Amino acid sequence: MKKDTRNLLVFFAATMVWTWAFYAPIAIGRHSPMAMPWLPLYICGGMGPSVVGVILAMLTCDKEGRKDYWRRCFSLRRIGGIWWVVIFLIFPIIFGLSAFIDSALGEALPGFAQLKALIANPLAIPLTAFISFMSGPWAEEFGWRGYALDRIIKPFGAFGGSLVLGVGWGVWHLPLYFMANTWHAQMGFQPAGFWTFIVFSCALSLVMTWVYLQTDRSILSGMLLHFTSNFTAQLMVPTSDRFEILRTVLLLAFGLAAFALMSRKFTAPSRTAVEA
């Protein structure tokens, strides 16, 4: 087995074990992860992808690879002007269009409960955005896009690798469906719930890989896309089941179109990004 493949398998296995070990007491007892004493376990478990990704990057990359890793995590210059527009507008546009189509088919518009609360109290916007960024993008993307993506592209290609990563990413969330008072538990295992979420994770993974490749393999672009997706969705809840399906279908269509337009020739990651 090649070193990259072995380290990729180690990443997925260690990430699942880390997160699910912390999440298990919450899920088994059907507790709310936002209540004490479960909140620390929830926070620690959610950090699994980034913790494992950083550890493996530091252990398996050579000196130049480690420097390249950190540059890609924090460099703003890798993201050109048009890509900032894509990162911050793609999800409001797709989710907004989903809500419009849903409304045209007879469903009420999303409730926008958090958006209304933030409009009523604008001083809460920075803290809300910060929590949203830390709870998903920061806690996960040092691993998913930071460590796993380059290594999964090598055997599966950019398209296939994105889908495989999307499935693994979606399944990683499975314990959340057994916790009280989570969006995932509310959606459950109905068609608009877990199964749609797996497809949505694959669609989001396609979009993130597309931007990643167009921004000189910027890990920061993955963090920001993850943030804008999560934050936009948070502002719109509550939403209908049909909205969840519509946004998934539209995002998947966009991801497929982006890959169709992108050059088929993919340049393998540089030596600095892989194991010594």
Side-chain angles (χ1 to χ4, degrees):
M1 182 183 295
K2 294 182 179 180
K3 183 182 290 186
D4 275 354
T5 302
R6 183 178 66 247
N7 289 335
L8 180 64
L9 293 175
V10 169
F11 168 79
F12 274 106
T15 297
M16 295 295 183
V17 170
W18 174 292
T19 296
W20 290 9
F22 280 106
Y23 280 1
I26 311 174
I28 292 172
R30 301 277 181 161
H31 301 295
S32 170
M34 298 303 171
M36 294 297 289
W38 312 110
L39 182 58
L41 295 179
Y42 178 65
I43 293 173
C44 290
M47 295 169 57
S50 284
V51 170
V52 174
V54 169
I55 291 173
L56 287 177
M58 296 304 100
L59 290 177
T60 64
C61 293
D62 60 19
K63 183 177 180 180
E64 285 303 311
R66 293 192 292 270
K67 289 182 179 179
D68 178 67
Y69 177 83
W70 292 119
R71 282 194 296 265
R72 293 187 296 116
C73 285
F74 299 110
S75 174
L76 297 173
R77 291 190 293 179
R78 290 175 180 262
I79 306 175
I82 186 62
W83 296 106
W84 288 106
V85 175
V86 171
I87 287 169
F88 285 101
L89 289 186
I90 182 60
F91 296 107
I93 291 173
I94 288 180
F95 293 3
L97 181 59
S98 301
F100 174 79
I101 295 174
D102 196 21
S103 176
L105 293 174
E107 189 64 57
L109 287 171
F112 297 103
Q114 189 170 76
L115 177 61
K116 293 175 182 177
L118 292 177
I119 292 174
N121 183 20
L123 294 178
I125 294 176
L127 178 60
T128 303
F130 176 76
I131 292 174
S132 181
F133 181 80
M134 296 301 292
S135 63
W138 186 267
E140 299 177 32
E141 291 305 330
F142 288 98
W144 299 129
R145 255 50 59 173
Y147 188 80
L149 184 55
D150 277 350
R151 290 157 183 84
I152 208 166
I153 280 175
K154 293 179 73 175
F156 293 104
F159 183 79
S162 298
L163 296 180
V164 173
L165 184 57
V167 172
W169 186 19
V171 171
W172 174 80
H173 291 80
L174 184 60
L176 295 173
Y177 286 85
F178 299 96
M179 299 180 189
N181 302 322
T182 64
W183 173 87
H184 300 81
Q186 178 184 343
M187 299 305 295
F189 292 90
Q190 59 176 317
F194 176 76
W195 306 109
T196 295
F197 182 74
I198 294 295
V199 178
F200 179 84
S201 298
C202 291
L204 182 53
S205 184
L206 286 173
V207 173
M208 293 171 83
T209 299
W210 171 61
V211 175
Y212 174 87
L213 295 177
Q214 301 300 320
T215 55
D216 197 17
R217 297 169 43 248
S218 169
I219 299 167
L220 178 61
S221 73
M223 293 183 189
L224 294 175
L225 282 164
H226 195 158
F227 165 74
T228 54
S229 174
N230 284 5
F231 194 62
T232 302
Q234 290 166 12
L235 293 179
M236 298 182 74
V237 295
T239 56
S240 70
D241 290 355
R242 186 164 55 197
F243 169 84
E244 297 299 330
I245 295 174
L246 284 168
R247 71 166 183 160
T248 298
V249 170
L250 290 180
L251 187 64
L252 180 60
F254 181 86
L256 293 173
F259 263 82
L261 293 173
M262 187 171 61
S263 171
R264 293 184 179 181
K265 184 178 180 181
F266 173 70
T267 302
S270 65
R271 178 67 178 84
T272 60
V274 298
E275 283 72 14

